[in-house]
Amino acid sequence: APPTTAVRSTRPPDNRIAARPAKEILAASERAFRSARSVQVKVAFKDRAGVVKANLTLTHKHGMAAGWFEQQGARVTFVVAGARFYFRGRRFWEKQGNAELAALIGDRWVLVPGSVAGELTPFGNDFTIDGLADELFRAADTPRSQASIEIRVRRVRTSSRRR
């Protein structure tokens, strides 16, 4: 049988944004990100210390955030409630201190001061949607060429009632 070729469209999908210039797409993405009720972010990138991986869920509600991040093979689970930062992860504490510290803490939650939390995480201490948006959309040194970022955004739904 003779070979066949299929014709494919090179036009972008009809989603009202794909055909726009990159700057407009980025600006629309940032607006959607900042107006979201909650944001789930999965990220992996290389920095000076090695590979950093994370899975975060951030909300606008009282500075609530939760998830985990991993640096140098040591994972820490975290919960942020307002200005309170709770971290848990035996291998993380071993990397931050030593085996004795990790044994002392075990697998318990540790309340970490905000000033210290910023030094322990690759994200600083601003675990908010706007804080992450500033990092993603404004950072001059974002490692875009070696980064894998997956973002899921839940938009705020508003209802309009007519009387």
Side-chain angles (χ1 to χ4, degrees):
T4 59
T5 58
V7 177
R8 293 186 208 180
S9 172
T10 57
R11 294 179 48 198
D14 186 19
N15 62 6
R16 298 184 319 235
I17 194 166
R20 294 183 181 173
K23 275 188 170 184
E24 282 185 39
I25 294 171
L26 191 58
S29 298
E30 183 175 356
R31 282 190 304 275
F33 191 94
R34 288 183 187 275
S35 68
R37 177 178 48 182
S38 69
V39 175
Q40 181 183 12
V41 179
K42 294 180 183 180
V43 62
F45 62 88
K46 287 185 180 183
D47 69 2
R48 284 175 248 122
V51 175
V52 176
K53 297 178 184 175
N55 187 336
L56 319 169
T57 300
L58 311 174
T59 70
H60 275 301
K61 184 179 181 180
H62 308 295
M64 301 292 286
W68 58 264
F69 62 87
E70 186 176 298
Q71 291 178 293
Q72 301 173 347
R75 182 176 288 196
V76 63
T77 304
F78 70 88
V79 174
V80 179
R84 295 179 170 271
F85 296 81
Y86 299 92
F87 288 13
R88 182 173 71 181
R90 185 183 298 262
R91 284 206 65 222
F92 175 77
W93 293 118
E94 188 176 318
K95 292 271 188 186
Q96 295 301 320
N98 54 39
E100 190 176 325
L101 176 66
L104 178 67
I105 295 172
D107 204 29
R108 292 193 228 29
W109 288 99
V110 176
L111 175 60
V112 178
S115 58
V116 175
E119 296 173 18
L120 297 177
T121 75
F123 310 105
N125 63 355
D126 192 353
F127 283 84
T128 64
I129 290 174
D130 285 332
L132 185 60
D134 290 344
E135 287 293 316
L136 290 173
F137 294 103
R138 302 283 186 242
D141 62 344
T142 302
R144 297 182 194 283
S145 63
Q146 297 181 7
S148 165
I149 301 173
E150 177 185 324
I151 299 172
R152 294 185 181 166
V153 176
R154 280 192 300 204
R155 297 286 307 238
V156 176
R157 297 194 194 282
T158 57
S159 62
S160 57
R161 294 184 183 169
R162 292 186 183 185
R163 294 181 185 202

